[in-house]
């Protein structure tokens, strides 16, 4: 904010002149960097392939229709596996995430110096590894199959759920906790009466949100052998069976739509 | 009943909230604690049940020295002190009944309370108290569905079901309209009389304090500057507590529309005394 005297008038402008010039300069630099990067990328692109892209896409789409509907009969079981991987993985993650979250939240952790850093480390390490990478490692450790998928989804989700939950715990209304403490309640009772009711909506929201994400993530886990419909997707792509690929993609789309619908319903019921 | 000896509280920021308070509240006495914001009223009552740890000094409840208790013993002592809060501090997502019963947590084991299996005796008492504060039809409502006055009545029932000997009341009327404020204060005082409870009521509405308390203690910057009956509380005393101000005007501020005939007469009586 800049105010300056101009004779009798007091003139107000949003910014000082120097600051305004600095902002223009920053925009100019940004545009220049963009133009330079564009040139670099352009030099390393074979434009013939890019201009060819629409034709290639149409060609691929033509090979994908009509979808080979009878292939669906072989997809029900993998689809069921995919759902199970997502659901069981989410449940496993929640069971571990809840105590981790309470240890990570500043206001409930047993020790800020010793326990909290450990809990935060669990959260960060779980979050920093993508579930596909978790699956890759787990397949080599415990072999291919649904169990590897469940564990991969579970490990990846611990950090996500625990982080959101501990943030919710830190945001609770301390007065309600104080009131329960003042009655002479023990530690566990303060938790059950003062804190848990306050974080229940967040907990339900987080679980259903993560389940929704996990359904989408578990559809690709099969690509690395961790069970589910991704296995069929991988097989169909490598044998160039494009009409099967289209059926699989449609099946995944339908599943995701259903899960979106379910989570929207549940979220609506909680709030 | 309650005795504070040289109670000092210094916050970690270095602020001295209480500077050696000596205070004795006999059984059955309703005492109002008045003073400007930041005078240490909240700190004082929170030091009594050690929601805030006093820096030094001693607090006695009957023969028990609260300040010397271990964690487990402190829990047992807290059962003897009911607390009522500004803005009610109900657990918003629990029902009225659960909120009232939470006053029994100190007497109930963890699993029984977790599964809400409170003894029938407590449930009877909860219904009786809800009836006493005229909320028996609301037992199944969630706390966040209630109006301010109703919530504070649930808060009162929660404190009373502890069967306390002392009530610690922190600004019970701060977020209520003038009429509801009076009703709540009247209810608290009636209940104290019925049960022969002692009470410390933090309140910044001087008029309400004068109307309902039998003893007034004025706190200023962590020191007691007035201790006496309400009828000695003239403009000069208010000036020592709060600072220079035209005190007849403060009393005038209460919204006239909200007052009944009887309350208007009462106010005129108080105003003539103040001038």
């Amino acid at each position: 904010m800049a105010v300056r005297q101009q004779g009798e008038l007091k003139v107000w402008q949003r910014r000082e002149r120097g600051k305004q010039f600095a902002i223009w300069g920053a925009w100019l630099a940004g545009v220049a960097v963009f133009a330079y990067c564009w040139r670099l990328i352009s030099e390393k692109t074979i434009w013939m392939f890019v201009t060819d892209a629409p034709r290639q896409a149409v060609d691929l789409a033509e090979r994908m229709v009509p979808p080979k509907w009878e292939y669906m009969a072989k997809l029900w079981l993998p689809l069921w596996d995919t759902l199970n991987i997502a659901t069981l993985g989410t449940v496993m993650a929640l069971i571990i995430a809840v105590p981790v979250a309470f240890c990570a939240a500043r206001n409930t952790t047993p020790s800020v110096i010793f326990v909290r850093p450990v809990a935060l480390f669990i959260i960060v390490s779980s979050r920093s590894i993508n579930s596909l990478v978790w699956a890759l490692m787990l397949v080599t450790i415990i072999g291919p199959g649904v169990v590897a998928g469940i564990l991969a989804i579970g490990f990846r989700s611990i950090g996500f759920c625990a982080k959101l939950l501990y943030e919710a715990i830190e945001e609770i209304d301390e007065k309600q906790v104080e009131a329960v403490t003042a009655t002479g309640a023990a530690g566990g009772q303060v938790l059950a009466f003062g804190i848990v009711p306050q974080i229940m909506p967040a907990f339900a929201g987080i679980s259903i949100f993560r389940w929704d994400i996990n359904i989408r993530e578990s559809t690709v886990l099969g690509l690395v052998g961790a069970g589910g419909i991704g296995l069929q997707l991988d097989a169909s792509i490598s044998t160039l069976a494009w009409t099967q690929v289209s059926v699989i993609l449609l099946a995944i789309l339908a599943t995701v739509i259903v899960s979106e619908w379910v989570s929207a319903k549940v979220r609506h019921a909680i709030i | 009943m309650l005795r504070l000896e040289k109670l000092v509280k210094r916050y970690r920021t270095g602020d001295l909230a209480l500077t050696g308070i000596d205070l004795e509240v006999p059984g059955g006495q309703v005492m109002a604690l008045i003073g400007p914001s930041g005078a240490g009223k909240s700190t004082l009552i929170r030091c009594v049940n050690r929601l805030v740890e006093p820096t030094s000094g001693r607090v006695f409840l009957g023969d028990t020295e609260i300040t010397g208790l271990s964690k487990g013993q402190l829990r047992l002592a807290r059962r003897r002190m009911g607390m009522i809060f500004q803005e009610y501090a109900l657990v918003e997502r629990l029902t009225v009944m659960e909120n009232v019963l939470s006053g029994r947590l100190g007497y109930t084991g963890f699993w029984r309370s977790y599964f809400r299996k409170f003894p029938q005796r407590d449930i009877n008492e909860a219904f009786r108290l809800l009836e006493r504060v005229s909320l028996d039809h609301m037992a199944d409502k969630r706390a966040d569905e209630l109006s301010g006055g109703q919530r504070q009545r649930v808060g009162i029932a929660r404190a009373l079901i502890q069967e306390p000997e002392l009530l610690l009341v922190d600004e019970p009327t701060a977020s209520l309209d003038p009429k509801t404020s009076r009703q709540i204060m009247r209810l608290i005082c009636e209940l104290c009389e019925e049960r022969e409870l002692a009470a410390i009521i933090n309140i910044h509405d001087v008029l309400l304090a004068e109307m309902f308390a039998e003893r007034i203690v004025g706190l200023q910057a962590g020191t007691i500057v007035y201790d006496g009956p309400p009828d000695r509380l003239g403009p000069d005393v208010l000036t020592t507590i709060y600072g220079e101000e035209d005190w007849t005007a403060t009393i005038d501020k209460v919204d006239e529309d909200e007052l009944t005939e009887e309350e208007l007469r009462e106010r005129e009586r108080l105003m003539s005394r103040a001038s």
Side-chain angles (χ1 to χ4, degrees):
Chain A
M1 197 191 79
V3 181
R4 97 194 115 83
Q5 202 78 32
Q6 200 175 66
E8 298 256 302
L9 290 174
K10 250 187 160 179
V11 181
W12 178 85
Q13 276 167 322
R14 190 173 168 204
R15 297 192 180 95
E16 307 273 355
R17 180 168 294 163
K19 205 169 177 186
Q20 188 64 53
F21 274 121
I23 290 169
W24 281 117
W27 274 104
L28 191 68
V31 172
V33 168
F34 180 80
Y36 178 68
C37 294
W38 181 276
R39 214 177 61 114
L40 275 188
I41 295 169
S42 167
E43 272 170 10
K44 295 195 174 147
T45 307
I46 303 167
W47 283 103
M48 198 186 76
F49 283 173
V50 178
T51 47
D52 192 31
R55 214 177 52 76
Q56 293 292 340
V58 171
D59 183 46
L60 184 61
E62 271 170 4
R63 272 182 282 162
M64 282 172 103
V65 286
K68 193 177 158 195
W69 293 113
E70 59 273 23
Y71 185 59
M72 201 60 214
K74 286 190 188 162
L75 285 183
W76 292 115
L77 194 65
L79 209 53
W80 175 242
D81 282 348
T82 304
L83 277 176
N84 280 336
I85 291 172
T87 311
L88 293 176
T90 311
V91 170
M92 178 195 126
L94 287 173
I95 290 170
I96 301 170
V98 169
V100 171
F102 276 103
C103 289
R106 217 167 252 289
N107 47 350
T108 53
T109 182
S111 154
V112 178
I113 303 164
F114 298 107
V115 182
R116 188 162 187 265
V118 175
L120 289 179
F121 180 74
I122 294 175
I123 291 171
V124 171
S125 48
S126 150
R127 277 160 56 80
S128 61
I129 302 172
N130 189 288
S131 46
L132 206 62
V133 181
W134 273 118
L136 249 163
M137 295 195 295
L138 287 161
V139 166
T140 38
I141 297 168
I142 53 178
V146 179
V147 178
I150 293 172
L151 290 179
I153 288 289
F155 284 139
R156 171 65 182 86
S157 309
I158 290 169
F160 180 94
C161 298
K163 185 178 167 66
L164 292 182
L165 196 59
Y166 98 72
E167 279 168 1
I169 295 171
E170 285 183 348
E171 274 165 23
I172 57 168
D173 177 12
E174 283 294 338
K175 289 198 68 182
Q176 300 179 27
V177 181
E178 207 180 31
V180 177
T181 314
T183 65
Q189 290 174 320
V190 175
L191 205 71
F193 273 74
I195 298 175
V196 170
Q198 292 195 58
I199 59 165
M200 270 326 269
F203 177 76
I206 292 164
S207 338
I208 207 73
F209 183 34
R210 189 64 222 185
W211 176 73
D212 190 25
I213 295 174
N214 282 347
I215 289 203
R216 274 170 276 150
E217 290 212 338
S218 59
T219 53
V220 294
L221 287 184
L223 291 178
V224 296
I229 200 165
L231 228 55
Q232 272 66 27
L233 186 62
D234 190 33
S236 303
I237 290 177
S238 43
T239 56
L240 304 179
W242 295 108
T243 49
Q244 290 183 19
V245 171
S246 58
V247 176
I248 295 170
L249 292 183
L250 286 172
I252 292 174
L253 180 70
T255 316
V256 171
I257 288 173
V258 170
S259 83
E260 292 265 0
W261 180 79
V262 170
S263 56
K265 281 279 163 200
V266 172
R267 222 168 293 156
H268 189 75
I270 298 161
I271 300 161
Chain B
M1 228 298 291
L2 178 75
R3 201 165 79 247
L4 312 184
E5 282 179 7
K6 297 201 172 46
L7 195 68
V8 176
K9 174 63 189 177
R10 185 186 289 278
Y11 282 105
R12 251 183 297 179
T13 48
D15 299 323
L16 194 60
L18 299 174
T19 59
I21 300 283
D22 287 300
L23 183 69
E24 192 162 352
V25 184
Q29 186 182 66
V30 175
M31 187 201 97
L33 190 62
I34 62 172
S37 311
K41 305 189 297 286
S42 279
T43 307
L44 191 145
I45 64 166
R46 279 176 165 72
C47 278
V48 172
N49 62 2
R50 278 172 62 190
L51 283 180
V52 168
E53 272 317 318
T55 311
S56 70
R58 301 198 290 177
V59 176
F60 289 93
L61 180 67
D63 295 329
T64 322
E65 192 197 331
I66 304 281
T67 34
L69 298 179
S70 70
K71 235 179 152 186
Q73 290 168 324
L74 176 62
R75 289 210 304 111
L76 298 184
R78 276 181 178 156
R79 307 193 304 196
R80 296 161 60 196
M81 300 178 276
M83 195 160 177
I84 296 168
F85 293 82
Q86 181 181 358
E87 284 164 354
Y88 338 115
L90 301 181
V91 183
E92 298 283 315
R93 294 182 51 84
L94 295 184
T95 62
V96 167
M97 193 59 170
E98 284 174 302
N99 267 293
V100 175
L101 283 171
S102 69
R104 295 301 292 177
L105 285 175
Y107 298 88
T108 318
F110 176 79
W111 291 110
R112 285 199 85 161
S113 65
Y114 185 81
F115 291 109
R116 310 295 195 262
K117 295 280 178 210
F118 287 88
Q120 186 59 39
R121 195 189 143 274
D122 293 354
I123 292 166
N124 292 341
E125 179 64 11
F127 274 121
R128 225 175 52 74
L129 277 167
L130 280 175
E131 204 172 325
R132 178 64 186 84
V133 300
S134 346
L135 282 177
D136 40 340
H137 57 296
M138 295 289 204
D140 239 0
K141 282 256 194 304
R142 235 167 68 169
D144 52 7
E145 292 174 55
L146 270 54
S147 72
Q150 291 171 333
R151 287 185 200 200
Q152 195 52 293
R153 299 209 299 260
V154 177
I156 293 170
R158 173 174 66 187
L160 288 177
I161 203 170
Q162 282 177 237
E163 291 167 1
E165 300 156 39
L166 171 71
L167 278 186
L168 303 168
V169 191
D170 191 15
E171 301 280 6
T173 62
S175 26
L176 299 174
D177 67 66
K179 188 177 175 193
T180 316
S181 297
R182 279 146 200 264
Q183 290 169 340
I184 290 292
M185 281 300 284
R186 191 171 296 127
L187 181 64
I188 292 175
C189 293
E190 279 172 13
L191 287 163
C192 284
E193 202 172 327
E194 278 169 31
R195 299 170 166 241
E196 293 172 348
L197 283 177
I200 301 182
I201 305 179
N202 276 356
I203 191 156
H204 59 223
D205 188 332
V206 179
L207 191 65
L208 277 178
E210 287 182 298
M211 279 169 64
F212 292 105
E214 51 195 278
R215 174 184 174 195
I216 294 197
V217 169
L219 205 61
Q220 211 267 318
T223 315
I224 293 177
V225 292
Y226 175 82
D227 186 351
D231 51 9
R232 289 222 321 265
L233 199 69
D236 47 330
V237 177
L238 288 177
T239 300
T240 48
I241 300 174
Y242 291 97
E244 196 68 53
E245 185 53 71
D246 179 2
W247 292 107
T248 49
T250 311
I251 295 167
D252 220 23
K253 247 198 228 160
V254 181
D255 194 355
E256 288 195 15
D257 300 348
E258 300 284 343
L259 306 184
T260 62
E261 287 285 325
E262 182 197 335
E263 283 166 331
L264 275 171
R265 273 201 302 278
E266 204 161 16
R267 206 189 72 186
E268 265 164 26
R269 187 175 57 78
L270 285 165
M271 274 177 68
S272 61
R273 205 172 63 209
S275 51

